[in-house]
Amino acid sequence: MAGNGPVRKPASALTGRLHKLGIYNDADMLLHLPMRYEDETRLVNIRDAASGASAQIEAEVEHAEVTFRPRRQLVARLRDESGTLCLRFLNFYPAIQKLLIPGQRVRAFGEVRSGFWGPEMIHPRLQAVSSGDALPQALTPIYPATAGLAQAAMRKLVLRAFGRASLAELLPDALRKSLKLAGWERSLRYLHQPPPDARLPALEDRSHPAWRRIKFDELLAQQIQLRRAYLERRSHTAAAIPALGRLTALLIAALPFALTGAQARAVDEIARDLAQPWPMQRLLQGDVGSGKTIVAALAMLQAAENGLQAALMAPTEILAEQHFRKLAGWLEPLGVTVAWLSGSQKKRERTAMLERIANGEALLVVGTHALIEDSVGLENLGLAVVDEQHRFGVRQRLALREKVSGRLPHMLMMSATPIPRTLAMSYMADLDVSVLDELPPGRTPIVTRLVADARRDEVIARVRDACREGRQAYWVCPLIEESETLQLQTAVETHETLVAELPELQVGLVHGRLKPDEKASVMDAFLRNETQVLVATTVIEVGVDVPNASLMVIEHAERFGLAQLHQLRGRVGRGAAASSCVLLYASPLSQNGRARLKAIYETTDGFEIARADLQLRGPGEFVGARQSGVPLLRYANLDTDVDLIEAAKQAAEELQARYPEAADDLLRRWYGGRSELLKA
Ligand code: ADP
Ligand code: MG
């Protein structure tokens, strides 16, 4: 896209700085809304200025000098009829010095603090005035800025943009009135230049009607964009894969369990999608342990039954291998061959697998991202399944799609990270979603305990007890984000300690630096209960399934994210035995750390946890939303603007169907300069 995309070479330093803020044209400039406001419409006497609050005072410079103790700074004293105020500048330009001449009348805006010599302002905004100069008639907007772009310059650019950009009302009157939304131009002007009597709190928490209008339009543009992506997908062709129901029925009959209602529903939805001649794009969402793998296996079998290939891609070697075994265990008795590929496979095995894929002996393939390499022939791919899809980048997911020419494979994405409804409605709206909202029966709920680090010995005793009863335990080592080496070292040390403290047990160790076959053999020993305790780094975070393990210990739990803790905890509670998860934490806890541990302690419901996570982290980090090409929301809030999201979703259909030109204009207004980027 070089040359004609929006990523033009900056024409000037200013353009470059504006690009940094995502501003490519006048419409963008108008949508660059203030993050807060300052009230320069009134003056306060020095004596009445409250400490800790922002104020504007007008006074005469009485004295100014550069002092050198305790460090170089410019200090000035202002006086009005009520008292004196000290100004201090630790960094200053000559222009400020020139302004602070005794006798000069100035306005200073800033936060008043009580300093050593009475009230003071540090780095106030300063302006020379003459007595009687008019005060501004609007609150002063403070914009998100970048180096080299001052607020005053930004305000001028906004004013200029008001004169040049279209301010047309794009919502049909009836729609706008039924939703009780303020007018577009009026809302924009209000937010850029609120009148002196504007209610600041409503502006700052964005509940003001002007903000609601902006947020609605933002959500509407997003919904329209997503709807178009959805329709665009429907215009492609895929191989129609009807449900023949012979092998799949045999597999269901051979399973040692019955599908849950939720599984049966998902299997049905997928089977119907596969039968269509356009590509499925479905997200199978189900909490850890809800049984997504069998649903994927049935879908893959439907492809194989029709003579088409199906691939399952997993983010880690451990997980891919586990999937392979499970699938082979289920399918080989039915005469269906499954091939297996990983980056670390021995050359001979790999060649054999590639051969089996190439000659059509194995229609089903399981693997890591090794699957997307060119040497893997999947020209006949009918279905691609991506497990833990948020672990992959968009490019990797797309690469699987591009294995086939002339048509697209059906895509089934799986995720154990539950997606809050609002997030699903906004970022994931171009996907169809199946939800496994029911755990297989016979699971006992996991009990979570928060235990201070100091009581480690008791926790070791619990591990001993659990294993004595024939159970197994995981011991997860702290996440050390700054250093993988340090993390590894901790894991090795923890392993040594536990080996010494639990001489009657076998203690295994698995971490990211092990060679894949070493990893596999450690996991294998644990699966067969040859080792009872598994010391691990977060490599076991996703997917690992050892039903006999009933105790999970997580060290320095406060360092993990909520989703991660939930995933780790989900490694236990997979069998019928009562399971528990011990979260060891080091005090003192940060506020955020405390909030996370509280959330994970209080609920095992993945959706609740996801909601809490959304609040703590924001949507950008979720389910690869940031990389998905879906525009991130700048103003609307997925937690507080639920009603607007619903309204926008409905309005999107109406606008698209009855006012397609307004829909076009709306997209241009919101994404104009950047629409190319969104298609990535
Ligand atoms: P996840 O959704 O986390 O990927 P898995 O597919 O690994 O879950 O399933 C978790 C465990 O539950 C596996 O051991 C699987 O065989 C088992 N399982 C799946 N479906 C059912 C069911 N309907 N009844 C009982 N056990 C099931
Ligand atoms: Mg899984």
Side-chain angles (χ1 to χ4, degrees):
M1 63 191 257
N4 56 7
V7 197
R8 289 177 299 252
K9 200 157 171 248
S12 69
L14 175 64
T15 317
R17 283 172 197 140
L18 289 173
H19 285 188
K20 239 188 213 160
L21 295 169
I23 300 168
Y24 292 86
N25 55 33
D26 289 315
D28 291 344
M29 193 73 229
L30 290 184
L31 288 174
H32 190 70
L33 291 165
M35 26 177 207
R36 59 188 179 84
Y37 301 90
E38 286 176 352
D39 188 354
E40 292 178 296
T41 64
R42 56 198 111 216
L43 295 172
V44 179
N45 280 331
I46 289 175
R47 195 187 40 213
D48 300 336
S51 176
S54 291
Q56 178 172 237
I57 57 114
E58 186 172 308
E60 249 172 45
V61 179
E62 200 172 65
H63 178 81
E65 68 176 324
V66 176
T67 65
F68 291 89
R69 272 195 208 133
R71 51 173 287 188
R72 183 170 180 269
Q73 56 180 315
L74 172 61
V75 182
R77 192 169 62 242
L78 305 188
R79 176 183 292 280
D80 70 5
E81 56 279 9
S82 73
T84 62
L85 174 79
C86 173
L87 305 185
R88 289 205 287 136
F89 296 84
L90 303 174
N91 291 303
F92 50 92
Y93 293 105
I96 297 236
Q97 268 172 294
K98 276 195 205 127
L99 206 149
L100 289 170
I101 299 165
Q104 172 68 53
R105 201 170 177 77
V106 295
R107 279 186 198 149
F109 184 96
E111 189 181 312
V112 182
R113 317 195 318 176
S114 52
F116 192 74
W117 286 287
E120 66 173 19
M121 278 182 188
I122 297 177
H123 287 190
R125 197 159 57 237
L126 209 56
Q127 177 189 7
V129 288
S130 312
S131 175
D133 273 359
L135 287 163
Q137 289 305 298
L139 297 179
T140 311
I142 307 296
Y143 294 99
T146 184
L149 198 51
Q151 292 293 332
M154 197 87 91
R155 269 174 235 134
K156 270 193 208 127
L157 289 168
V158 169
L159 274 185
R160 193 183 65 174
F162 265 116
R164 305 202 306 199
S166 154
L167 296 164
E169 178 57 71
L170 298 178
L171 292 190
D173 254 9
L175 179 68
R176 190 167 70 76
K177 291 212 173 97
S178 73
L179 293 169
K180 297 198 175 62
L181 290 169
W184 176 253
E185 176 172 353
R186 199 166 147 230
S187 300
L188 263 190
R189 289 198 188 275
Y190 197 96
L191 293 180
H192 282 293
Q193 299 158 325
D197 64 347
R199 286 177 297 128
L200 260 184
L203 283 181
E204 304 212 318
D205 75 8
R206 298 186 178 173
S207 61
H208 192 280
W211 266 122
R212 280 183 65 79
R213 174 58 203 267
I214 305 292
K215 293 194 283 190
F216 178 81
D217 279 37
E218 175 178 45
L219 289 164
L220 184 61
Q222 189 194 45
Q223 290 294 335
I224 292 172
Q225 174 84 12
L226 288 166
R227 255 196 88 65
R228 291 197 175 178
Y230 184 89
L231 294 174
E232 211 254 340
R233 169 160 60 84
R234 289 229 157 177
S235 69
H236 291 285
T237 44
I241 307 176
L244 303 181
R246 197 177 59 80
L247 289 177
T248 45
L250 285 179
L251 172 56
I252 291 176
L255 288 174
F257 49 77
L259 295 183
T260 62
Q263 282 172 321
R265 225 177 305 126
V267 167
D268 241 39
E269 287 165 351
I270 295 165
R272 249 181 291 136
D273 277 5
L274 292 178
Q276 304 302 333
W278 58 77
M280 166 173 85
Q281 184 122 312
R282 188 170 279 278
L283 178 70
L284 176 60
Q285 190 191 310
D287 213 338
V288 282
S290 59
K292 294 184 289 294
T293 319
I294 184 65
V295 176
L298 284 164
M300 293 172 77
L301 193 54
Q302 183 167 333
E305 250 186 317
N306 283 276
L308 288 167
Q309 293 173 311
L312 167 57
M313 183 163 76
T316 66
E317 303 253 347
I318 291 178
L319 192 51
E321 163 133 31
Q322 185 182 286
H323 280 327
F324 166 65
R325 289 187 193 200
K326 225 173 228 179
L327 257 62
W330 283 329
L331 301 177
E332 307 228 305
L334 304 176
V336 177
T337 307
V338 185
W340 140 252
L341 283 174
S342 87
S344 57
Q345 222 159 14
K346 300 237 160 56
K347 188 135 198 278
R348 204 145 50 92
E349 190 185 4
R350 181 178 167 80
T351 314
M353 289 293 174
L354 287 176
E355 174 64 27
R356 236 183 263 176
I357 296 167
N359 67 19
E361 184 193 335
L363 287 174
L364 304 188
V365 191
V366 177
T368 58
H369 51 266
L371 280 181
I372 56 189
E373 280 164 27
D374 288 340
S375 53
V376 186
L378 293 172
E379 298 80 14
N380 210 8
L381 188 67
L383 166 68
V385 184
V386 181
D387 194 16
E388 307 293 346
Q389 59 103 16
H390 59 287
R391 293 292 191 107
F392 292 98
V394 186
R395 258 191 354 171
Q396 288 172 311
R397 279 182 263 158
L398 291 184
L400 255 187
R401 263 180 33 174
E402 278 149 18
K403 286 281 182 180
V404 199
S405 54
R407 56 181 174 80
L408 292 176
H410 298 281
M411 296 284 293
L412 178 64
M413 267 84 71
M414 306 205 283
S415 172
T417 307
I419 300 162
R421 199 176 60 93
T422 48
L423 191 68
M425 279 176 74
S426 55
Y427 291 101
M428 317 296 280
D430 66 334
L431 297 181
D432 295 303
V433 182
S434 295
V435 183
L436 300 185
D437 52 4
E438 183 184 356
L439 289 182
R443 304 252 168 98
T444 30
I446 306 166
V447 176
T448 302
R449 292 197 171 78
L450 295 176
V451 179
D453 235 356
R455 291 166 54 201
R456 234 176 115 94
D457 286 349
E458 289 169 46
V459 177
I460 293 177
R462 288 183 62 102
V463 171
R464 185 180 294 120
D465 291 346
C467 295
R468 207 172 269 159
E469 286 166 23
R471 300 280 150 203
Q472 290 165 271
Y474 295 97
W475 190 292
V476 176
C477 297
L479 181 71
I480 301 172
E481 280 187 341
E482 314 81 62
S483 157
E484 205 198 333
T485 322
L486 213 57
Q487 177 160 328
L488 184 63
Q489 186 190 331
T490 323
V492 171
E493 282 166 11
T494 307
H495 178 247
E496 280 169 8
T497 316
L498 289 181
V499 165
E501 303 235 8
L502 299 166
E504 71 278 31
L505 299 174
Q506 296 302 314
V507 183
L509 170 64
V510 64
H511 54 72
R513 289 280 182 83
L514 289 185
K515 295 211 184 75
D517 51 337
E518 295 171 326
K519 242 187 256 175
S521 81
V522 175
M523 293 309 295
D524 229 31
F526 191 61
L527 185 62
R528 288 201 299 265
N529 200 358
E530 288 164 13
T531 52
Q532 289 76 48
V533 182
L534 183 63
V535 176
T537 56
T538 46
V539 293
I540 59 147
E541 178 184 336
V542 291
V544 170
D545 185 35
V546 180
N548 192 49
S550 68
L551 176 60
M552 164 68 62
V553 180
I554 304 174
E555 268 196 85
H556 276 291
E558 76 280 0
R559 292 188 193 164
F560 292 86
L562 261 182
Q564 234 174 352
L565 287 172
H566 181 61
Q567 283 277 343
L568 283 168
R569 181 169 60 183
R571 297 309 109 219
V572 296
R574 307 193 138 234
S579 296
S580 54
C581 175
V582 175
L583 303 176
L584 279 169
Y585 65 89
S587 358
L589 285 170
S590 70
Q591 203 177 6
N592 196 285
R594 183 183 303 275
R596 267 177 286 132
L597 291 187
K598 183 167 178 292
I600 202 84
Y601 174 73
E602 284 177 351
T603 176
T604 50
D605 179 340
F607 279 89
E608 269 308 302
I609 288 167
R611 235 180 65 82
D613 210 14
L614 181 62
Q615 271 176 354
L616 289 167
R617 291 195 305 171
E621 304 207 23
F622 259 86
V623 285
R626 187 174 286 285
Q627 343 146 331
S628 72
V630 178
L632 279 180
L633 294 170
R634 294 147 74 189
Y635 303 121
N637 178 312
L638 294 181
D639 211 41
T640 52
D641 296 324
V642 180
D643 58 327
L644 285 179
I645 300 175
E646 311 250 8
K649 196 174 163 72
Q650 280 183 16
E653 301 208 3
E654 185 181 335
L655 208 67
Q656 179 80 337
R658 297 184 44 204
Y659 307 92
E661 278 165 24
D664 284 344
D665 288 344
L666 192 78
L667 290 187
R668 218 166 293 131
R669 176 175 281 170
W670 281 90
Y671 312 131
R674 284 161 290 174
S675 54
E676 282 298 317
L677 292 178
L678 295 176
K679 289 191 197 135

